Amino acid sequence: MIYLGIETANAPLSVAVVEDGNVIAEIVQNNKVTHSNGAMPAVEEVLQKAKITAAQIDAIAVSQGPGSYTGVRIGVTIAKTLAWTLQKPLIGVSSLQALAANASLYSGLICPLVDARRQHVYTALYEGLTLEEIMVDTHESIDDLCIKLKAFARPVMFVGTDVDKYWETIEAQLGHLAIRAPRAIDLPRASQVVHIAMAQPLSTVEATHHFVPQYKRIAEAEANWLKEQKK
Amino acid sequence: METYILAIETSCDETAAAVIKNGTDIISNVVSSQIDSHKRFGGVVPEIASRHHVEQITIVIEEALAKANMTPNDLTAVAVTEGPGLVGALLIGINAAKAFAFAHGLPIVGTHHIAGHIYANNLVQPMEFPLLALVVSGGHTEIVLMKEHGHFELIGETRDDAAGEAYDKVARVLNLPYPGGPHIDRLAHEADEAVKFPRIWLEEGSYDFSFSGLKSAVINYKHNMDQRGEEIIPAHVAKGFQDSVVEVLTAKTLRAAREFGVKQVIAAGGVSANKGLRTSLEETFAQEGIPFYVPPLHLCTDNAAMIGAAAHYMFVAGVRGNMAMNGRPGMELKTWV
């Protein structure tokens, strides 16, 4: 079974071809090329490297968010269009779980972290080794996150390119319990997206039309409108 | 060359797909409008538009193919609006188009949204050159001269607000629901009197437009009336405003048509659905003896059929996009031949 994996939820880009669990080819980059510019050429390139055609893909796995609205939408749009038109199953995976999977050899807690601006992050919490979900994907302030993590009184490994931005706060709050993941595993990998997807049931092709990003936040205009209504 | 082009358009708040034969025949034309989702915000919210596009995109493309009774193998190429428009919205259509084209090994053509609006006319009767196009929409007010297919010369454009933008703002002053254009048009039609507002002609001989002064005049009028404790009569304001817009648009288009000796004048874009403008242009060019055309309403507003019509001539001229195609929110209308 051949999977195409797509990960464009944040600034880094990754695409991979995974056959029966083996990674055949993978592209991972964080070079400031926009996803609209770079994602489809990367899909084309990774299939070439894996020596397969689009028609040979058996299923598509995509990082469904949360993350950059536009980034998530580009990955989801490409994935759902390919899945629909090639009539293949489409599986969505949490962008945070995919990032946490990079650190899965760690035995403490794993906290994937993505900057959502204004001192807020997209984050979750996983148990090391098993990748069991401890805290679901959420959007919250870095201060609230630190308070929650402190309550566990266990070492936490932080993973992601945006960790550095908040490291001072994290270290001040958690002290020696805060562990910075090695930078080599900061970039999300489409092969991880596929591996997580492989543990999930295959979707029906009809479900593809209704596949949408997991933003974890309502649009700002909508939030403001709701606030107005309450007044 | 016979072509069947699957066209996709997501530049603003309509998710649209169509199959067009030879740049002239509509085989299918599907538009999913989001207008109800944006109404409560009083205008199009880009983030919400993008979210809707990603929900609708494959459904709309599938419906366009199903209505055309076609499979990807029957297609010659895929066309998509590359710009101008809301960047987040454009990106959905562009990435869907690229993924679809890649999956089936089809060539892709990136089309200019305004070229599409102009080519909507080609779906009704053949365009004849030289041709003058008056493009009026929420984002554009332009006079374009075309000497042949794919040749565009910008003769005049707005220096501030687009005509449609001015309509929306005046509608807000009059407390009319969004989108305000049709309401102003209706009120103006019903009115027997008009408030006198200025005509903004700019310097002698210019084909450019300016609507921000007119918009301010309407706002000032309302403000002065409020200060005096008098009620405005919305229909009279609507007629006064529309009369000014229509008179300037008609007069400049007529002068340009004469100067360039065109064989055809066409109107395009959402505001060309406006009855007051249509009637004025029809009467003026009937008197002048120059054929004037405006597409039916459903081809004036955003749609993918018009993108497919323009893309046919681009495709025949050898224009091709590639997998790196990006959204171009500020894309200029350039000659492709």
Side-chain angles (χ1 to χ4, degrees):
Chain A
M1 179 118 172
I2 301 176
Y3 275 81
L4 171 67
I6 302 173
E7 160 64 84
T8 63
N10 290 289
L13 167 81
S14 181
V15 290
V17 174
V18 180
E19 184 171 13
D20 300 330
N22 302 314
V23 181
I24 307 300
E26 184 166 33
I27 294 170
V28 183
Q29 62 189 41
N30 189 24
N31 59 358
K32 306 252 179 335
V33 172
T34 65
H35 293 321
S36 181
N37 208 208
M40 275 310 298
V43 167
E44 200 171 19
E45 189 184 337
V46 83
L47 291 181
Q48 269 167 16
K49 284 179 169 167
K51 299 193 168 56
I52 64 158
T53 63
Q56 286 173 285
I57 299 168
D58 295 308
I60 293 166
V62 67
S63 168
Q64 201 174 0
S68 142
Y69 293 164
T70 301
V72 175
R73 273 196 289 269
I74 287 172
V76 167
T77 300
I78 290 171
K80 78 187 276 192
T81 305
L82 288 175
W84 157 68
T85 199
L86 295 169
Q87 297 284 295
K88 306 292 178 182
L90 172 63
I91 301 105
V93 166
S94 156
S95 59
L96 293 165
Q97 191 180 355
L99 191 52
N102 279 355
S104 63
L105 290 177
Y106 180 64
S107 59
L109 293 168
I110 304 166
C111 182
L113 192 145
V114 168
D115 185 25
R117 283 179 286 196
R118 297 180 201 163
Q119 292 296 305
H120 278 65
V121 291
Y122 295 111
T123 190
L125 192 67
Y126 293 88
E127 190 66 61
L129 302 177
T130 61
L131 267 197
E132 185 197 338
E133 188 179 77
I134 308 290
M135 260 166 44
V136 297
D137 291 4
T138 184
H139 168 258
E140 68 182 352
S141 75
I142 187 71
D143 292 334
D144 287 350
L145 173 66
C146 287
I147 291 166
K148 283 185 191 166
L149 294 179
K150 227 172 166 175
F152 286 92
R154 289 177 57 193
V156 184
M157 179 174 276
F158 292 84
V159 59
T161 51
D162 297 334
V163 170
D164 292 340
K165 194 173 170 185
Y166 293 102
W167 188 243
E168 225 170 274
T169 312
I170 293 168
E171 224 183 4
Q173 293 286 325
L174 295 174
H176 70 280
L177 292 176
I179 293 146
R180 176 71 172 89
R183 280 177 178 73
I185 60 165
D186 268 348
L187 298 185
R189 308 188 77 102
S191 56
Q192 298 282 21
V193 172
V194 171
H195 277 267
I196 295 165
M198 284 172 71
Q200 294 175 28
L202 291 178
S203 69
T204 61
V205 172
E206 294 74 53
T208 300
H209 282 318
H210 306 289
F211 189 94
V212 290
Q214 293 292 327
Y215 299 105
K216 299 291 166 194
R217 276 180 87 185
I218 57 172
E220 201 174 341
E222 185 113 41
N224 291 339
W225 185 83
L226 288 170
K227 230 184 273 171
E228 280 297 309
Q229 302 307 301
K230 276 189 195 142
K231 273 183 196 164
Chain B
M1 186 195 286
E2 187 171 80
T3 65
Y4 287 91
I5 293 181
L6 169 69
I8 297 168
E9 145 75 38
T10 63
S11 67
C12 190
D13 61 341
E14 327 273 1
T15 317
V19 177
I20 300 301
K21 182 184 176 186
N22 299 340
T24 51
D25 299 350
I26 301 175
I27 310 299
S28 68
N29 185 24
V30 179
V31 181
S32 164
S33 176
Q34 312 172 356
I35 207 154
D36 289 337
S37 301
H38 297 283
K39 251 181 193 158
R40 63 191 161 125
F41 302 111
V44 176
V45 179
E47 173 59 23
I48 288 172
S50 303
R51 289 186 179 199
H52 279 292
H53 285 311
V54 80
E55 285 165 19
Q56 293 297 317
I57 189 72
T58 57
I59 298 172
V60 168
I61 300 173
E62 182 173 79
E63 197 180 328
L65 289 172
K67 282 194 172 159
N69 197 18
M70 281 189 169
T71 67
N73 291 334
D74 301 319
L75 298 171
T76 316
V78 179
V80 64
T81 307
E82 194 175 355
L86 302 170
V87 65
L90 288 166
L91 291 180
I92 306 305
I94 289 170
N95 282 285
K98 288 196 292 188
F100 185 92
F102 173 71
H104 304 292
L106 289 165
I108 187 165
V109 180
T111 305
H112 192 283
H113 182 75
I114 296 303
H117 273 303
I118 292 171
Y119 271 87
N121 284 277
N122 205 54
L123 297 165
V124 184
Q125 73 288 309
M127 290 159 73
E128 280 184 49
F129 305 102
L131 167 157
L132 197 70
L134 172 66
V135 182
V136 269
S137 73
H140 301 269
T141 310
E142 284 151 21
I143 298 178
V144 179
L145 175 69
M146 291 181 71
K147 289 179 180 159
E148 58 181 315
H149 279 298
H151 168 272
F152 305 96
E153 218 174 305
L154 197 60
I155 302 301
E157 64 187 322
T158 183
R159 292 183 185 171
D160 38 61
D161 293 354
E165 219 174 330
Y167 267 92
D168 282 340
K169 284 176 183 164
V170 166
R172 230 169 284 163
V173 172
L174 298 179
N175 283 321
L176 297 170
Y178 171 85
H183 293 283
I184 293 185
D185 193 18
R186 176 179 50 79
L187 280 178
H189 199 68
E190 289 165 9
D192 44 10
E193 259 181 68
V195 178
K196 187 76 187 160
F197 289 121
R199 271 70 176 148
I200 316 287
W201 296 107
L202 301 174
E203 59 283 0
E204 177 109 27
S206 171
Y207 290 118
D208 281 351
F209 302 99
S210 166
F211 295 105
S212 76
L214 173 61
K215 175 192 70 189
S216 302
V218 175
I219 294 168
N220 289 341
Y221 172 78
K222 165 105 175 7
H223 186 72
N224 289 338
M225 292 290 275
D226 285 351
Q227 294 250 301
R228 275 186 261 150
E230 288 178 49
E231 286 282 320
I232 58 161
I233 302 169
H236 294 179
V237 176
K239 183 165 166 55
F241 167 76
Q242 176 148 311
D243 283 355
S244 171
V245 173
V246 167
E247 187 180 324
V248 173
L249 287 175
T250 305
K252 293 208 177 198
T253 309
L254 174 62
R255 191 156 52 78
R258 283 177 179 160
E259 181 180 336
F260 298 103
V262 298
K263 286 196 184 140
Q264 217 179 58
V265 174
I266 61 180
V271 181
S272 62
N274 182 290
K275 260 191 231 142
L277 179 61
R278 279 182 184 229
T279 312
S280 166
L281 290 167
E282 272 161 15
E283 288 173 2
T284 302
F285 287 104
Q287 262 179 19
E288 187 71 11
I290 302 176
F292 168 77
Y293 302 104
V294 56
L297 188 62
H298 70 282
L299 294 176
C300 282
T301 48
D302 288 353
N303 64 85
M306 66 187 199
I307 300 302
H312 164 82
Y313 296 94
M314 297 179 78
F315 183 82
V316 169
V319 181
R320 300 289 185 275
N322 61 41
M323 286 298 126
M325 188 192 292
N326 207 341
R328 295 170 64 189
M331 187 178 182
E332 277 178 56
L333 183 58
K334 284 222 177 100
T335 295
W336 69 64
V337 288

